[in-house]
Amino acid sequence: MLAAIEFPADLPVVQKRADLARIIADHQVVIVCGETGSGKTTQLPKICLALGRGVLGVIGHTQPRRVAARTVATRIAFELKTELGGAVGYKVRFNDKVSADTSVKLMTDGILLAEIHRDPLLKHYDTLIIDEAHERSLNIDFLLGYLKQLLPRRPDLKLIITSATLDADRFARHFGAQVVEVSGRSYPVEMRYRPLQVSDEGEAQDVPQAVSNALDELAAGGLRGDVLVFLPGEREIRDTAETLRKHHPKGIEVLPLFARLSAAEQDRVFKTGAQRRVVLATNVAETSLTVPNIGYVIDCGLARVNRYSIRQKVEQLHIEKISRAAANQRAGRCGRVMSGVCVRLYDEADFLQRVEFTDPEIFRVSLATVILRMSALELGDIAEFPFIEPPTPRMIADGYQLLAELGAIDEARQLTQLGHELAKLPLDPKIARLLLAGRQYQCLTEILVIASALSVQDPRERPLDRQEAADTAHKRFADERSDFLAYLKMWAWFEQALAEKKSNRLMAEECRRNFLSPLRLREWRELHQQLHGQVAEMGMRDSGKLVSGQPANYEQIHKALLCGLLGNIGMKSVESNEYLGARGIKFIIAPNSVLAKKGTKWVMAGELIETHRLYARIMAR
């Protein structure tokens, strides 16, 4: 049993506790709008518990990111004086700390979506808290549309949606629900605009240098708290860390924070110490996580945004200016525990010209996955589905076109047998298609390894200061015909290393010697096990192997790959090193591919990604 529930009096949400409890008791849907740091994430589940929720079903509490689901669960368990995995648990991809006694379950949006397939009425839950809904990820928009249809059939289910921006009115109109405002920032924040300097040659000063200058300016006044720096991505974080460590060696601890770090490295950010800390973060720290003791924010005003080009059918990963709402969100991070200073590395006119809100993800991605999921759940026409903001007809048509290309739907846009099978696999439809082709070409064993590798981040590491050493270490896995086969060699190496049953520490050292991330190898292995179980459940087996006992050959594996990657083939152009691809696109091979130097007449790519040019990655002849 839980001890008496205590609420920290200094949090703004606790001051509104009585109002919130009354409104939650009286209404099926409640929207709670409050800036990050108001305490809504940690206190709302406790308010629900105090109301007697979480008894007939579980209080489900979703987060956009795995890091947040884990840290929030840990925090709530601590406040309730209970063990993690008991009354409070969490479930994210590859990690499940939930038991029969769990009353509050933290999870990613993706986990809740996956559960809809097994439990369409979500009977397991009596309350759902959809947190950080303003992020408007595809999963959140799909969940909110699904719940809008579900609520009339589940009058006992309570839904609480939280948003950190004033975009909450949009959710309120959608559900016809009440909005409760909770103030977040309690201390004033001084804004300073320090745009990047431009040299006489017209070159803009680099971001690491600008961050270093801003830190000098703040330090000159004597730091009364830690500094949180927002940067667009991992590479910028590494470059800035390098610059700061050279320039500010004494008394300052530089801590990176991004999703690919190990749990132990991420946790360092939440432990304050005697030293002043400078935390370099991507937008994971904008909304999902509250880093303690922040007195200053340095905001470069940029984020790396993934957009899907319907015309070219490729992912574009460009660095873009963030919206005004996101910039204010970042600034609000330093007014929690003391009056703060936010240094923006752009000017005020630039800020005022920015768009008000960030584009929802539904307008930035291919809709094939959503259409497939909706068809499998028999939710009717996507154009009729109650999305908060419906996608355009052109985007819907593009999603159907990809599914038709993969053989998942027929002319009447109904799911084929193959489509039903694809919907059962928790993967991008193109990657899921590879598994079904692996069965057809009798190379399922190999394709399971490759498909799971394509769905997680590449385990190979190339530290900026040791790139040559890393490239040399990775050569042992290379195959001159195909980058896909490198995954099979890496897998064989990892299996061999595991078979030697070394301690975790020795295993991690062995991985690092080969410039491989132990964390990502483990994720790859866990996804492989998950998929292996899933295909076994679907009755798929590698019949060719059972008969011959032989590994599959190059042709079998690459024919299977081609079934899902047909849109990624290219022919070498005569006059340059460019390749002409499907739909008239032109791409070049990424420099880290085995085919980058010599090329070949025809190629197939694992993915096409546009940064400043259109690159094809993971290549095969």
Side-chain angles (χ1 to χ4, degrees):
M1 270 309 284
L2 287 171
I5 300 174
E6 293 168 12
F7 293 89
D10 56 341
L11 288 173
V13 76
V14 175
Q15 288 147 27
K16 286 239 172 161
R17 187 181 135 206
D19 290 352
L20 276 164
R22 192 190 72 252
I23 293 166
I24 291 168
D26 294 349
H27 296 83
Q28 189 177 13
V29 185
V30 181
I31 320 280
V32 181
C33 176
E35 288 179 45
T36 322
S38 57
K40 55 190 189 308
T41 299
T42 51
Q43 304 310 306
L44 280 169
K46 289 161 62 183
I47 292 171
C48 291
L49 279 173
L51 278 171
R53 311 294 302 172
V55 177
L56 299 171
V58 176
I59 297 170
H61 190 350
T62 71
Q63 293 293 324
R65 293 177 188 80
R66 293 192 303 215
V67 189
R70 195 171 53 79
T71 50
V72 171
T74 308
R75 180 70 210 177
I76 297 172
F78 170 75
E79 289 190 16
L80 290 171
K81 303 184 179 64
T82 173
E83 285 291 305
L84 187 62
V88 182
Y90 71 88
K91 184 175 179 183
V92 297
R93 193 174 185 179
F94 313 132
N95 208 335
D96 185 346
K97 264 200 177 324
V98 175
S99 66
D101 305 329
T102 300
S103 300
V104 177
K105 173 179 167 184
L106 270 290
M107 60 195 141
T108 52
D109 315 306
I111 293 285
L112 183 58
L113 275 177
E115 289 181 7
I116 289 174
H117 282 273
R118 292 190 300 279
D119 178 14
L121 290 175
L122 295 174
K123 290 196 186 113
H124 183 58
Y125 300 96
D126 73 359
T127 309
L128 285 173
I129 302 170
I130 308 292
D131 207 358
E132 312 291 359
H134 58 268
E135 289 210 9
R136 299 292 304 283
S137 70
L138 193 56
N139 282 347
I140 287 173
D141 273 12
F142 183 63
L143 268 177
L144 294 178
Y146 186 80
L147 290 167
K148 180 159 166 100
Q149 289 183 330
L150 176 64
L151 289 170
R153 296 159 63 197
R154 279 283 318 270
D156 56 318
L157 181 68
K158 297 274 186 199
L159 174 62
I160 300 166
I161 299 166
T162 82
S163 171
T165 59
L166 295 172
D167 209 11
D169 292 343
R170 190 170 268 154
F171 302 124
R173 286 195 301 274
H174 189 67
F175 284 97
Q178 244 190 302
V179 177
V180 184
E181 295 265 350
V182 181
S183 72
R185 192 176 342 162
S186 28
Y187 295 91
V189 172
E190 177 200 339
M191 289 295 175
R192 296 183 191 169
Y193 290 91
R194 301 286 183 268
L196 299 182
Q197 305 301 314
V198 178
S199 69
D200 299 340
E201 290 78 50
E203 283 279 308
Q205 166 192 21
D206 62 10
V207 171
Q209 194 49 53
V211 170
S212 183
N213 297 351
L215 193 56
D216 283 345
E217 180 188 325
L218 294 172
L223 293 175
R224 293 177 311 104
D226 296 334
V227 185
L228 178 58
V229 183
F230 283 103
L231 294 160
E234 207 177 303
R235 182 162 177 198
E236 293 76 15
I237 286 177
R238 290 186 198 278
D239 291 352
T240 305
E242 189 78 358
T243 302
L244 294 185
R245 285 185 185 125
K246 280 183 192 145
H247 180 68
H248 299 273
K250 288 188 192 63
I252 279 186
E253 187 180 16
V254 178
L255 295 173
L257 176 64
F258 47 85
R260 261 171 46 163
L261 287 172
S262 71
E265 288 171 304
Q266 286 172 359
D267 288 343
R268 285 172 59 201
V269 169
F270 303 103
K271 298 185 175 77
T272 53
Q275 278 189 307
R276 282 280 162 252
R277 305 174 320 145
V278 178
V279 177
L280 308 176
T282 56
N283 50 1
V284 64
E286 192 177 296
T287 55
S288 300
L289 298 176
T290 298
V291 180
N293 199 42
I294 297 298
Y296 309 87
V297 163
I298 300 173
D299 173 21
C300 73
L302 303 168
R304 198 173 278 285
V305 179
N306 199 348
R307 289 184 186 275
Y308 171 74
S309 157
I310 291 182
R311 195 174 63 78
Q312 293 188 310
K313 308 268 187 282
V314 297
E315 300 282 336
Q316 298 170 321
L317 209 56
H318 293 177
I319 290 179
E320 298 181 8
K321 292 181 177 183
I322 58 171
S323 65
R324 295 201 301 276
N328 291 336
Q329 194 70 48
R330 289 177 174 191
R333 284 301 185 172
C334 61
R336 302 290 155 62
V337 285
M338 57 189 90
S339 51
V341 177
C342 173
V343 180
R344 287 179 169 160
L345 303 181
Y346 44 99
D347 60 29
E348 193 167 6
D350 175 0
F351 170 72
L352 295 170
Q353 282 168 350
R354 295 180 175 215
V355 295
E356 188 175 4
F357 295 112
T358 311
D359 280 348
E361 195 182 6
I362 196 162
F363 298 131
R364 294 188 278 110
V365 295
S366 161
L367 294 181
T369 310
V370 176
I371 296 172
L372 185 63
R373 194 179 273 157
M374 287 181 60
S375 304
L377 291 168
E378 298 180 353
L379 294 178
D381 184 357
I382 184 172
E384 307 295 315
F385 188 71
F387 282 113
I388 287 186
E389 290 170 88
T392 63
R394 190 166 162 228
M395 293 175 70
I396 294 172
D398 171 80
Y400 275 118
Q401 189 186 336
L402 175 61
L403 292 176
E405 225 172 84
L406 295 173
I409 53 170
D410 58 22
E411 270 111 48
R413 291 187 168 179
Q414 298 302 307
L415 279 191
T416 58
Q417 176 58 37
L418 190 97
H420 281 289
E421 290 188 302
L422 287 182
K424 287 180 185 155
L425 294 161
L427 295 170
D428 176 291
K430 283 204 275 213
I431 308 288
R433 181 69 186 84
L434 304 182
L435 292 178
L436 302 183
R439 173 182 60 187
Q440 181 188 348
Y441 290 104
Q442 299 178 346
C443 54
L444 184 59
T445 308
E446 289 81 2
I447 293 290
L448 266 171
V449 171
I450 293 171
S452 45
L454 294 174
S455 306
V456 294
Q457 278 174 310
D458 195 316
R460 286 167 287 201
E461 292 187 325
R462 277 185 94 224
L464 291 169
D465 50 349
R466 301 184 61 199
Q467 289 183 342
E468 276 183 25
D471 292 345
T472 307
H474 294 156
K475 274 211 177 85
R476 67 183 290 179
F477 304 119
D479 180 296
E480 58 186 30
R481 301 164 298 168
S482 165
D483 295 325
F484 293 98
L485 297 182
Y487 290 127
L488 297 178
K489 290 187 178 176
M490 238 183 297
W491 184 261
W493 175 87
F494 188 45
E495 291 285 295
Q496 177 61 39
L498 287 173
E500 289 165 18
K501 297 209 170 9
K502 294 177 177 157
S503 71
N504 284 348
R505 189 180 59 81
L506 286 173
M507 185 71 196
E509 280 171 15
E510 180 78 7
C511 290
R512 291 204 180 91
R513 267 201 298 280
N514 286 281
F515 292 89
L516 298 173
S517 155
L519 175 79
R520 278 179 263 152
L521 284 169
R522 219 171 32 245
E523 288 203 344
W524 178 13
R525 191 177 161 77
E526 282 166 347
L527 178 59
H528 178 272
Q529 284 172 335
Q530 196 184 338
L531 293 177
H532 192 278
Q534 189 89 37
V535 298
E537 214 173 281
M538 291 164 66
M540 287 165 62
R541 46 212 280 256
D542 221 337
S543 51
K545 289 280 177 342
L546 300 176
V547 178
S548 67
Q550 290 295 311
N553 62 28
Y554 185 93
E555 190 178 319
Q556 286 170 292
I557 293 169
H558 289 78
K559 274 185 176 170
L561 290 170
L562 202 51
C563 291
L565 305 174
L566 199 55
N568 295 0
I569 55 175
M571 184 179 84
K572 187 126 169 39
S573 88
V574 183
E575 56 272 6
S576 71
N577 64 349
E578 280 191 324
Y579 282 78
L580 181 63
R583 294 172 285 270
I585 58 175
K586 289 188 173 132
F587 60 78
I588 60 172
I589 295 179
N592 61 354
S593 167
V594 285
L595 298 183
K597 286 199 171 73
K598 20 183 202 259
T600 176
K601 189 176 179 189
W602 286 92
V603 294
M604 160 177 76
E607 58 180 4
L608 297 170
I609 288 200
E610 185 181 310
T611 48
H612 46 286
R613 291 189 69 171
L614 182 54
Y615 286 105
R617 294 185 52 229
I618 313 162
M619 307 302 297
R621 295 166 178 258

